């Protein structure tokens, strides 16, 4: 009997001299390795271990997979840029942690808007003080 291999996408990115990554089809599992091969090995192990918890796999929509699917899968490698890697890392967070991260991002956006407004006010004030011409 011939084994039908599943295909998965291994998203990876360089991080401080290592490779980090995930299987796109199981985004909450992040792993790392000193080489891409080591990253692949760790991801296969971690994802296969996750699937051993049948209740978790069912709740997360992975009931159609089993550890052998992961261990024997054909992998398609995709190197992510910095932005894509950050998005992949956010997808791995629990909903509670993701909420906190997004709240921090909103705070940073608000702070940046305040700084731009302050810069614009300073420029307007300088413009008014020098009658439209800046003196150096």
């Amino acid at each position: 009997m011939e084994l039908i291999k599943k295909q998965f996408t291994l998203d990876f990115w360089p991080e401080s001299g290592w490779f980090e990554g995930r299987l796109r089809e199981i985004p909450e599992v992040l792993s790392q390795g000193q080489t891409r091969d080591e990253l692949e090995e760790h991801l296969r192990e971690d994802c296969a271990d996750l699937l051993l918890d049948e209740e978790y796999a069912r709740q997360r929509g992975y009931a159609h997979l089993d550890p052998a699917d992961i261990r024997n899968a054909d992998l398609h490698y995709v190197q992510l840029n910095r932005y894509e890697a950050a998005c992949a890392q956010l997808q791995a967070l629990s909903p509670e942690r993701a909420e906190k991260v997004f709240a921090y991002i909103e705070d940073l956006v608000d702070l940046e808007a305040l700084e731009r407004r302050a810069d614009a006010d300073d420029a307007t004030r300088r413009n008014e003080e020098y009658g439209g011409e800046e003196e150096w």
Side-chain angles (χ1 to χ4, degrees), residues 1-3 13 30 32 47 71 75 95 129:
M1 183 169 156
E2 185 177 326
L3 178 68
W13 54 94
L30 295 178
Q32 62 181 5
C47 290
R71 289 187 186 105
L75 298 180
E129 286 176 10

Side-chain angles (χ1 to χ4, degrees), residues 2-20:
E2 185 177 326
L3 178 68
I4 299 174
K5 289 187 174 188
K6 296 208 184 285
Q7 293 186 342
F8 295 100
T9 302
L10 192 157
D11 293 327
F12 73 98
W13 54 94
E15 186 67 42
S16 302
W18 289 65
F19 290 98
E20 291 188 4

